[in-house]
Coordinates of all heavy atoms in Angstrom, one line a residue:
M1 N 8.6 2.7 -18.2 CA 8.2 2.2 -16.9 C 8.0 0.7 -16.9 O 7.5 0.1 -17.8 CB 6.8 2.9 -16.5 CG 6.4 2.6 -15.2 SD 4.9 3.7 -14.8 CE 4.0 2.6 -13.8
R2 N 8.4 0.1 -15.8 CA 8.3 -1.4 -15.7 C 6.9 -1.8 -15.4 O 6.2 -1.2 -14.6 CB 9.2 -1.8 -14.5 CG 9.7 -3.2 -14.6 CD 10.7 -3.5 -13.5 NE 9.9 -4.0 -12.4 CZ 10.4 -4.6 -11.4 NH1 11.6 -4.7 -11.3 NH2 9.6 -5.0 -10.4
Q3 N 6.5 -2.9 -16.1 CA 5.2 -3.5 -15.8 C 5.1 -4.2 -14.5 O 6.1 -4.8 -14.1 CB 4.8 -4.5 -16.9 CG 4.6 -3.9 -18.3 CD 3.3 -3.0 -18.3 OE1 2.3 -3.3 -17.6 NE2 3.3 -2.0 -19.0
P4 N 4.0 -4.0 -13.7 CA 3.9 -4.8 -12.4 C 4.0 -6.3 -12.7 O 3.5 -6.7 -13.7 CB 2.6 -4.4 -11.9 CG 2.2 -3.1 -12.6 CD 2.9 -3.2 -13.9
T5 N 4.6 -7.0 -11.8 CA 4.6 -8.4 -11.9 C 3.3 -9.0 -11.5 O 2.5 -8.4 -10.7 CB 5.7 -9.0 -11.0 OG1 5.5 -8.6 -9.7 CG2 7.1 -8.5 -11.4
E6 N 3.0 -10.1 -12.1 CA 1.7 -10.7 -11.9 C 1.9 -12.2 -11.7 O 2.2 -13.0 -12.6 CB 0.8 -10.5 -13.1 CG -0.6 -11.0 -13.0 CD -1.4 -10.2 -12.1 OE1 -1.2 -9.0 -12.0 OE2 -2.3 -10.8 -11.5
P7 N 1.7 -12.7 -10.4 CA 1.8 -14.1 -10.2 C 0.6 -14.8 -10.9 O -0.4 -14.2 -11.2 CB 1.8 -14.3 -8.7 CG 1.3 -13.0 -8.2 CD 1.5 -12.0 -9.2
D8 N 0.7 -16.1 -11.1 CA -0.3 -16.9 -11.7 C -1.6 -16.7 -10.9 O -1.7 -17.0 -9.7 CB 0.1 -18.4 -11.6 CG -0.9 -19.3 -12.4 OD1 -2.1 -18.9 -12.5 OD2 -0.4 -20.3 -12.9
P9 N -2.7 -16.2 -11.5 CA -3.9 -15.9 -10.8 C -4.6 -17.1 -10.2 O -5.3 -17.0 -9.2 CB -4.8 -15.3 -11.9 CG -4.2 -15.5 -13.2 CD -2.7 -15.8 -12.9
R10 N -4.2 -18.3 -10.7 CA -4.8 -19.5 -10.1 C -4.2 -19.8 -8.7 O -4.8 -20.5 -7.9 CB -4.6 -20.7 -11.0 CG -5.3 -20.6 -12.3 CD -4.8 -21.7 -13.3 NE -3.4 -21.5 -13.6 CZ -2.7 -22.2 -14.3 NH1 -3.2 -23.3 -15.0 NH2 -1.4 -22.0 -14.5
L11 N -3.0 -19.2 -8.5 CA -2.3 -19.5 -7.2 C -2.7 -18.5 -6.1 O -2.7 -18.8 -4.9 CB -0.8 -19.3 -7.4 CG -0.1 -20.4 -8.2 CD1 1.4 -20.1 -8.3 CD2 -0.3 -21.8 -7.5
L12 N -3.1 -17.3 -6.5 CA -3.4 -16.3 -5.5 C -4.4 -16.7 -4.4 O -4.1 -16.5 -3.2 CB -3.9 -15.0 -6.2 CG -2.9 -14.3 -7.0 CD1 -3.5 -13.1 -7.7 CD2 -1.7 -13.8 -6.1
P13 N -5.5 -17.4 -4.7 CA -6.4 -17.8 -3.6 C -5.8 -18.8 -2.7 O -6.3 -19.0 -1.6 CB -7.6 -18.4 -4.4 CG -7.5 -17.9 -5.8 CD -6.1 -17.7 -6.0
L14 N -4.8 -19.5 -3.1 CA -4.1 -20.5 -2.3 C -3.1 -20.0 -1.4 O -2.7 -20.7 -0.4 CB -3.5 -21.6 -3.2 CG -4.5 -22.3 -4.2 CD1 -3.7 -23.2 -5.1 CD2 -5.6 -23.0 -3.5
L15 N -2.6 -18.8 -1.6 CA -1.5 -18.3 -0.8 C -2.0 -17.7 0.5 O -3.1 -17.1 0.6 CB -0.8 -17.2 -1.6 CG -0.1 -17.7 -2.9 CD1 0.5 -16.5 -3.6 CD2 0.9 -18.7 -2.6
A16 N -1.2 -17.9 1.5 CA -1.6 -17.4 2.9 C -0.4 -16.8 3.5 O 0.8 -17.1 3.2 CB -2.1 -18.5 3.7
C17 N -0.6 -15.9 4.5 CA 0.5 -15.3 5.2 C 1.2 -16.4 6.0 O 0.5 -17.2 6.7 CB -0.1 -14.2 6.2 SG 1.2 -13.5 7.3
P18 N 2.5 -16.4 6.0 CA 3.2 -17.5 6.7 C 3.2 -17.3 8.2 O 3.5 -18.2 9.0 CB 4.6 -17.4 6.2 CG 4.8 -16.0 5.7 CD 3.4 -15.6 5.2
V19 N 2.8 -16.1 8.7 CA 2.8 -15.8 10.1 C 1.4 -16.1 10.7 O 1.4 -16.9 11.7 CB 3.2 -14.3 10.4 CG1 3.1 -13.9 11.8 CG2 4.6 -14.0 9.8
D20 N 0.4 -15.5 10.2 CA -1.0 -15.8 10.8 C -1.8 -16.7 10.0 O -3.0 -17.0 10.4 CB -1.7 -14.5 11.1 CG -2.3 -13.8 9.9 OD1 -2.1 -14.3 8.7 OD2 -2.9 -12.7 10.1
K21 N -1.3 -17.2 8.9 CA -2.0 -18.2 8.0 C -3.3 -17.6 7.4 O -4.1 -18.4 6.8 CB -2.3 -19.5 8.7 CG -1.2 -20.1 9.5 CD 0.0 -20.4 8.6 CE 1.1 -21.1 9.4 NZ 2.4 -20.5 9.4
G22 N -3.5 -16.3 7.5 CA -4.7 -15.7 6.9 C -4.5 -15.3 5.4 O -3.4 -15.4 4.9
P23 N -5.6 -14.9 4.8 CA -5.5 -14.5 3.3 C -4.6 -13.3 3.1 O -4.5 -12.4 4.0 CB -6.9 -14.3 2.9 CG -7.6 -14.0 4.2 CD -6.9 -14.7 5.3
L24 N -4.1 -13.2 1.9 CA -3.3 -12.1 1.5 C -4.1 -11.3 0.4 O -4.8 -11.9 -0.4 CB -1.9 -12.5 1.0 CG -1.1 -13.2 2.0 CD1 0.1 -13.9 1.4 CD2 -0.6 -12.1 3.0
V25 N -3.8 -10.0 0.3 CA -4.5 -9.2 -0.8 C -3.4 -8.9 -1.8 O -2.3 -8.4 -1.4 CB -5.1 -7.9 -0.2 CG1 -5.7 -7.1 -1.3 CG2 -6.1 -8.3 0.9
H26 N -3.7 -9.1 -3.1 CA -2.7 -8.8 -4.1 C -2.8 -7.3 -4.4 O -3.9 -6.8 -4.7 CB -3.0 -9.6 -5.4 CG -2.0 -9.4 -6.5 ND1 -2.4 -9.4 -7.8 CD2 -0.7 -9.3 -6.5 CE1 -1.3 -9.2 -8.5 NE2 -0.3 -9.1 -7.7
V27 N -1.7 -6.6 -4.4 CA -1.6 -5.2 -4.7 C -0.6 -5.1 -5.9 O 0.6 -4.9 -5.7 CB -1.1 -4.4 -3.5 CG1 -1.1 -2.9 -3.8 CG2 -1.9 -4.7 -2.3
P28 N -1.1 -5.3 -7.1 CA -0.1 -5.4 -8.3 C 0.7 -4.2 -8.5 O 1.9 -4.3 -8.9 CB -1.1 -5.7 -9.4 CG -2.4 -5.3 -9.0 CD -2.5 -5.4 -7.5
E29 N 0.1 -3.0 -8.3 CA 0.9 -1.7 -8.5 C 2.1 -1.6 -7.6 O 3.0 -0.9 -7.9 CB 0.0 -0.5 -8.5 CG -0.8 -0.3 -7.3 CD -2.1 -1.0 -7.2 OE1 -2.4 -1.9 -8.1 OE2 -2.9 -0.7 -6.3
D30 N 2.1 -2.2 -6.4 CA 3.2 -2.2 -5.5 C 4.0 -3.5 -5.5 O 4.9 -3.7 -4.7 CB 2.7 -1.9 -4.1 CG 2.2 -0.5 -3.9 OD1 2.9 0.4 -4.4 OD2 1.1 -0.3 -3.4
E31 N 3.6 -4.4 -6.3 CA 4.2 -5.8 -6.4 C 4.3 -6.4 -5.0 O 5.4 -6.8 -4.6 CB 5.6 -5.6 -7.1 CG 5.5 -5.1 -8.5 CD 6.8 -5.0 -9.2 OE1 7.9 -5.3 -8.6 OE2 6.8 -4.6 -10.4
L32 N 3.1 -6.5 -4.4 CA 3.0 -7.0 -3.0 C 1.9 -7.9 -2.9 O 0.8 -7.8 -3.6 CB 2.8 -5.8 -2.0 CG 3.9 -5.0 -1.5 CD1 3.3 -3.9 -0.6 CD2 5.0 -5.7 -0.9
L33 N 2.0 -8.9 -1.9 CA 0.9 -9.6 -1.4 C 0.8 -9.0 0.1 O 1.8 -9.1 0.8 CB 1.1 -11.1 -1.4 CG 1.1 -11.7 -2.7 CD1 1.6 -13.2 -2.6 CD2 -0.3 -11.7 -3.4
Y34 N -0.3 -8.4 0.4 CA -0.4 -7.7 1.6 C -1.3 -8.4 2.7 O -2.4 -8.8 2.3 CB -1.0 -6.3 1.3 CG -1.0 -5.3 2.5 CD1 0.2 -5.1 3.2 CD2 -2.1 -4.7 2.9 CE1 0.3 -4.3 4.3 CE2 -2.1 -3.9 4.0 CZ -0.9 -3.6 4.7 OH -0.9 -2.8 5.8
N35 N -0.9 -8.4 3.9 CA -1.7 -8.8 5.0 C -2.0 -7.6 5.8 O -1.2 -7.1 6.6 CB -0.8 -9.8 5.9 CG -1.6 -10.3 7.1 OD1 -2.6 -9.6 7.5 ND2 -1.2 -11.4 7.7
P36 N -3.3 -7.1 5.7 CA -3.7 -5.9 6.4 C -3.8 -6.1 7.9 O -3.7 -5.2 8.7 CB -5.0 -5.5 5.8 CG -5.5 -6.7 5.1 CD -4.3 -7.6 4.8
R37 N -4.0 -7.3 8.4 CA -4.1 -7.6 9.8 C -2.8 -7.4 10.5 O -2.8 -6.8 11.6 CB -4.6 -9.1 10.0 CG -5.9 -9.3 9.4 CD -6.2 -10.8 9.3 NE -5.2 -11.6 8.7 CZ -5.0 -11.7 7.3 NH1 -5.8 -11.0 6.5 NH2 -4.1 -12.5 6.8
L38 N -1.7 -7.7 9.9 CA -0.4 -7.5 10.5 C 0.4 -6.4 9.9 O 1.5 -6.1 10.4 CB 0.4 -8.8 10.4 CG -0.1 -10.1 11.0 CD1 0.8 -11.3 10.7 CD2 -0.4 -9.9 12.5
R39 N -0.2 -5.7 8.9 CA 0.5 -4.6 8.2 C 1.8 -5.1 7.6 O 2.8 -4.4 7.6 CB 0.7 -3.4 9.1 CG -0.6 -2.8 9.6 CD -0.4 -1.6 10.4 NE -1.7 -1.1 10.8 CZ -1.8 0.1 11.4 NH1 -0.8 0.9 11.6 NH2 -3.0 0.5 11.8
R40 N 1.8 -6.3 7.0 CA 3.0 -6.8 6.4 C 2.8 -7.1 4.9 O 1.7 -7.6 4.5 CB 3.4 -8.2 7.0 CG 3.8 -8.0 8.5 CD 3.9 -9.3 9.2 NE 5.1 -10.1 8.7 CZ 6.2 -10.2 9.3 NH1 6.4 -9.6 10.5 NH2 7.2 -10.9 8.8
G41 N 3.8 -6.7 4.1 CA 3.7 -6.9 2.7 C 4.8 -7.8 2.2 O 6.0 -7.7 2.7
Y42 N 4.4 -8.8 1.4 CA 5.4 -9.7 0.9 C 5.7 -9.4 -0.6 O 4.7 -9.3 -1.3 CB 4.9 -11.2 1.1 CG 4.7 -11.5 2.5 CD1 3.5 -11.3 3.1 CD2 5.7 -12.0 3.2 CE1 3.3 -11.6 4.5 CE2 5.6 -12.3 4.6 CZ 4.4 -12.1 5.2 OH 4.2 -12.4 6.5
P43 N 6.9 -9.2 -0.9 CA 7.2 -8.7 -2.3 C 7.0 -9.8 -3.3 O 7.1 -11.0 -3.0 CB 8.7 -8.4 -2.2 CG 9.3 -9.2 -1.1 CD 8.1 -9.3 -0.1
I44 N 6.7 -9.4 -4.5 CA 6.6 -10.3 -5.7 C 7.8 -9.8 -6.6 O 7.8 -8.7 -7.0 CB 5.3 -10.1 -6.4 CG1 4.1 -10.5 -5.5 CG2 5.2 -11.0 -7.7 CD1 2.8 -10.1 -6.0
R45 N 8.6 -10.8 -6.9 CA 9.8 -10.5 -7.8 C 9.8 -11.5 -8.9 O 9.7 -12.7 -8.6 CB 11.1 -10.5 -7.1 CG 11.2 -9.4 -6.0 CD 12.6 -9.5 -5.3 NE 12.5 -8.8 -4.1 CZ 12.7 -9.4 -2.9 NH1 13.0 -10.7 -2.8 NH2 12.6 -8.7 -1.8
D46 N 9.9 -11.1 -10.2 CA 9.9 -12.0 -11.3 C 8.7 -13.0 -11.2 O 8.9 -14.2 -11.5 CB 11.2 -12.8 -11.3 CG 12.4 -11.9 -11.5 OD1 12.3 -10.9 -12.3 OD2 13.5 -12.1 -10.9
N47 N 7.6 -12.4 -10.9 CA 6.3 -13.2 -10.8 C 6.3 -14.2 -9.7 O 5.4 -15.1 -9.7 CB 6.0 -13.9 -12.2 CG 5.8 -12.8 -13.3 OD1 5.3 -11.7 -13.0 ND2 6.0 -13.2 -14.5
L48 N 7.2 -14.2 -8.8 CA 7.3 -15.2 -7.7 C 7.0 -14.4 -6.4 O 7.8 -13.5 -6.1 CB 8.6 -15.9 -7.6 CG 8.9 -16.8 -8.8 CD1 10.4 -17.3 -8.7 CD2 8.0 -17.9 -8.9
P49 N 6.1 -14.9 -5.6 CA 5.9 -14.3 -4.3 C 6.9 -14.8 -3.3 O 7.2 -16.0 -3.3 CB 4.5 -14.7 -3.9 CG 4.2 -15.9 -4.7 CD 5.0 -15.8 -5.9
Y50 N 7.5 -13.9 -2.5 CA 8.5 -14.2 -1.5 C 7.7 -14.2 -0.2 O 7.5 -13.1 0.4 CB 9.6 -13.2 -1.5 CG 10.6 -13.5 -2.7 CD1 10.2 -13.2 -4.0 CD2 11.8 -14.2 -2.5 CE1 11.1 -13.5 -5.0 CE2 12.6 -14.4 -3.5 CZ 12.3 -14.1 -4.8 OH 13.1 -14.4 -5.9
L51 N 7.4 -15.3 0.4 CA 6.5 -15.4 1.5 C 7.3 -15.8 2.8 O 6.6 -16.2 3.8 CB 5.4 -16.4 1.3 CG 4.4 -16.0 0.2 CD1 3.4 -17.0 -0.1 CD2 3.7 -14.7 0.5
R52 N 8.6 -15.7 2.8 CA 9.3 -15.9 4.1 C 9.1 -14.8 5.0 O 9.1 -13.6 4.6 CB 10.8 -16.1 3.8 CG 11.1 -17.3 3.0 CD 12.6 -17.5 2.8 NE 13.3 -16.2 2.7 CZ 14.6 -16.0 3.0 NH1 15.3 -17.0 3.4 NH2 15.1 -14.8 2.8
P53 N 8.9 -15.0 6.3 CA 8.7 -13.9 7.2 C 9.9 -12.9 7.1 O 9.6 -11.7 7.3 CB 8.6 -14.6 8.6 CG 8.0 -15.9 8.3 CD 8.6 -16.3 6.9
L54 N 11.1 -13.4 6.9 CA 12.2 -12.4 6.8 C 12.1 -11.5 5.6 O 12.7 -10.4 5.6 CB 13.5 -13.2 6.7 CG 13.9 -14.0 7.9 CD1 15.1 -14.9 7.6 CD2 14.2 -13.1 9.0
D55 N 11.3 -11.9 4.5 CA 11.2 -11.0 3.3 C 10.1 -10.0 3.5 O 10.0 -9.1 2.7 CB 10.8 -11.9 2.1 CG 12.0 -12.8 1.7 OD1 13.1 -12.4 1.8 OD2 11.7 -14.0 1.3
A56 N 9.3 -10.1 4.5 CA 8.2 -9.2 4.7 C 8.6 -7.7 5.0 O 9.6 -7.5 5.7 CB 7.3 -9.7 5.8
L57 N 7.8 -6.8 4.5 CA 8.0 -5.4 4.8 C 6.9 -5.0 5.8 O 5.7 -5.3 5.5 CB 7.8 -4.6 3.5 CG 8.7 -5.0 2.3 CD1 8.2 -4.3 1.1 CD2 10.1 -4.7 2.6
T58 N 7.2 -4.4 6.9 CA 6.2 -3.9 7.8 C 5.9 -2.4 7.4 O 6.8 -1.6 7.4 CB 6.7 -4.0 9.3 OG1 7.0 -5.4 9.5 CG2 5.7 -3.5 10.2
L59 N 4.6 -2.2 7.2 CA 4.2 -0.8 6.8 C 3.7 0.0 7.9 O 3.1 -0.5 8.8 CB 3.1 -1.0 5.7 CG 3.7 -1.6 4.4 CD1 2.8 -2.8 4.1 CD2 3.8 -0.6 3.4
D60 N 4.0 1.3 7.9 CA 3.6 2.2 8.9 C 2.1 2.5 8.7 O 1.5 2.1 7.7 CB 4.4 3.5 8.9 CG 4.3 4.3 7.7 OD1 3.4 4.2 6.9 OD2 5.2 5.1 7.4
G61 N 1.5 3.3 9.6 CA 0.1 3.6 9.6 C -0.4 4.3 8.4 O -1.4 4.0 7.8
V62 N 0.4 5.3 7.9 CA 0.1 6.1 6.7 C 0.1 5.2 5.5 O -0.9 5.2 4.7 CB 1.1 7.2 6.5 CG1 0.8 8.0 5.2 CG2 1.0 8.2 7.7
R63 N 1.1 4.4 5.3 CA 1.2 3.5 4.1 C 0.1 2.4 4.2 O -0.5 2.1 3.2 CB 2.6 2.9 4.1 CG 2.8 2.0 2.9 CD 3.2 2.9 1.7 NE 3.6 2.1 0.6 CZ 2.8 1.9 -0.5 NH1 1.7 2.6 -0.6 NH2 3.2 1.1 -1.4
H64 N -0.2 1.9 5.4 CA -1.3 1.0 5.6 C -2.6 1.5 5.1 O -3.3 0.9 4.4 CB -1.3 0.5 7.0 CG -2.5 -0.3 7.4 ND1 -2.6 -1.6 7.1 CD2 -3.6 0.0 8.2 CE1 -3.8 -2.0 7.5 NE2 -4.4 -1.1 8.2
Q65 N -2.9 2.7 5.6 CA -4.2 3.4 5.2 C -4.3 3.6 3.7 O -5.3 3.5 3.1 CB -4.4 4.7 5.9 CG -4.7 4.5 7.4 CD -5.9 3.7 7.6 OE1 -6.9 3.8 6.9 NE2 -5.9 2.8 8.6
E66 N -3.1 4.0 3.1 CA -3.1 4.2 1.6 C -3.4 2.9 0.9 O -4.2 2.9 -0.1 CB -1.7 4.7 1.3 CG -1.5 5.0 -0.2 CD -0.1 5.4 -0.5 OE1 0.4 6.3 0.1 OE2 0.5 4.7 -1.4
L67 N -2.8 1.9 1.3 CA -3.1 0.6 0.6 C -4.5 0.1 0.8 O -5.2 -0.3 -0.1 CB -2.1 -0.5 1.2 CG -0.7 -0.6 0.6 CD1 0.1 -1.7 1.2 CD2 -0.8 -0.8 -0.9
L68 N -5.0 0.3 2.0 CA -6.4 -0.1 2.3 C -7.4 0.7 1.4 O -8.3 0.2 0.9 CB -6.8 0.1 3.8 CG -6.2 -0.9 4.7 CD1 -6.7 -0.6 6.1 CD2 -6.5 -2.3 4.4
S69 N -7.1 2.0 1.3 CA -7.9 2.8 0.4 C -7.9 2.4 -1.0 O -9.0 2.3 -1.7 CB -7.5 4.3 0.5 OG -8.2 5.1 -0.3
R70 N -6.8 2.0 -1.5 CA -6.7 1.6 -2.9 C -7.4 0.2 -3.1 O -8.0 -0.1 -4.1 CB -5.2 1.5 -3.4 CG -4.7 2.9 -3.6 CD -3.4 2.8 -4.5 NE -2.6 1.7 -4.3 CZ -1.3 1.7 -4.0 NH1 -0.7 2.9 -3.9 NH2 -0.6 0.6 -3.9
I71 N -7.2 -0.7 -2.1 CA -7.8 -2.0 -2.1 C -9.3 -1.9 -2.1 O -10.0 -2.5 -2.9 CB -7.3 -2.9 -1.0 CG1 -5.8 -3.2 -1.2 CG2 -8.2 -4.1 -0.8 CD1 -5.2 -3.8 0.1
E72 N -9.9 -1.0 -1.3 CA -11.3 -0.8 -1.2 C -11.9 -0.3 -2.5 O -13.0 -0.7 -2.9 CB -11.7 0.1 0.0 CG -11.5 -0.5 1.3 CD -11.6 0.4 2.5 OE1 -11.9 1.6 2.2 OE2 -11.4 0.0 3.6
K73 N -11.2 0.6 -3.2 CA -11.6 1.2 -4.5 C -11.8 0.1 -5.5 O -12.6 0.2 -6.4 CB -10.7 2.2 -5.0 CG -10.8 3.5 -4.2 CD -9.8 4.5 -4.6 CE -9.9 5.8 -3.8 NZ -8.9 6.8 -4.1
R74 N -10.9 -1.0 -5.5 CA -11.0 -2.0 -6.5 C -12.1 -3.0 -6.2 O -12.5 -3.8 -7.1 CB -9.7 -2.8 -6.5 CG -8.5 -2.0 -7.0 CD -7.3 -2.9 -7.3 NE -7.2 -4.1 -6.3 CZ -6.1 -4.4 -5.7 NH1 -5.0 -3.7 -5.8 NH2 -6.1 -5.5 -4.9
M75 N -12.6 -3.1 -5.0 CA -13.6 -4.1 -4.6 C -15.0 -3.7 -5.2 O -15.3 -2.5 -5.2 CB -13.7 -4.2 -3.1 CG -12.4 -4.7 -2.5 SD -12.5 -5.1 -0.8 CE -13.2 -6.7 -0.9
P76 N -15.7 -4.7 -5.7 CA -17.1 -4.4 -6.2 C -18.0 -3.9 -5.1 O -17.8 -4.3 -3.9 CB -17.5 -5.7 -6.8 CG -16.7 -6.7 -6.2 CD -15.4 -6.1 -5.7
P77 N -18.9 -3.0 -5.4 CA -19.9 -2.6 -4.4 C -20.7 -3.7 -3.8 O -21.0 -4.7 -4.5 CB -20.7 -1.5 -5.1 CG -20.5 -1.7 -6.5 CD -19.2 -2.5 -6.7
A78 N -21.0 -3.6 -2.5 CA -21.8 -4.6 -1.9 C -23.3 -4.5 -2.4 O -23.8 -3.4 -2.5 CB -21.8 -4.5 -0.4
S79 N -23.9 -5.6 -2.6 CA -25.3 -5.5 -3.0 C -26.3 -5.7 -1.9 O -26.1 -6.0 -0.8 CB -25.6 -6.6 -4.1 OG -24.9 -7.8 -3.9

């Protein structure tokens, strides 16, 4: 099985969606940077994020909910 790609963690907080300029969520198991507001995923290939709008994948409602569920499970509990 192929290992998920991992962009430089120092860069992740600096990356933004090219469409709405908002933050992206790293989903390493899907090799995506995800914008839940627009339901768009930007692929990561060879440790490089592809952030051109033409490269984005638009996710349907089921896939969107699946990603949100996984993202929420990774987040630390609110204090």
Side-chain angles (χ1 to χ4, degrees):
M1 187 170 145
R2 204 175 91 165
Q3 290 292 327
T5 58
E6 184 73 31
D8 187 330
R10 297 170 296 180
L11 291 179
L12 291 175
L14 304 175
L15 299 176
C17 175
V19 177
D20 75 356
K21 311 300 185 235
L24 296 166
V25 179
H26 183 220
V27 186
E29 56 273 12
D30 290 315
E31 299 182 359
L32 281 179
L33 291 171
Y34 187 56
N35 178 340
R37 299 166 307 283
L38 300 179
R39 298 184 180 190
R40 294 172 69 103
Y42 297 92
I44 300 170
R45 297 183 199 116
D46 298 323
N47 297 331
L48 297 172
Y50 285 74
L51 295 176
R52 296 181 324 155
L54 293 173
D55 293 323
L57 310 167
T58 301
L59 294 127
D60 64 21
V62 172
R63 185 80 174 109
H64 170 72
Q65 288 302 323
E66 178 186 306
L67 278 179
L68 286 182
S69 175
R70 286 200 326 232
I71 290 165
E72 288 171 3
K73 287 178 184 175
R74 291 193 328 230
M75 297 187 82
S79 33

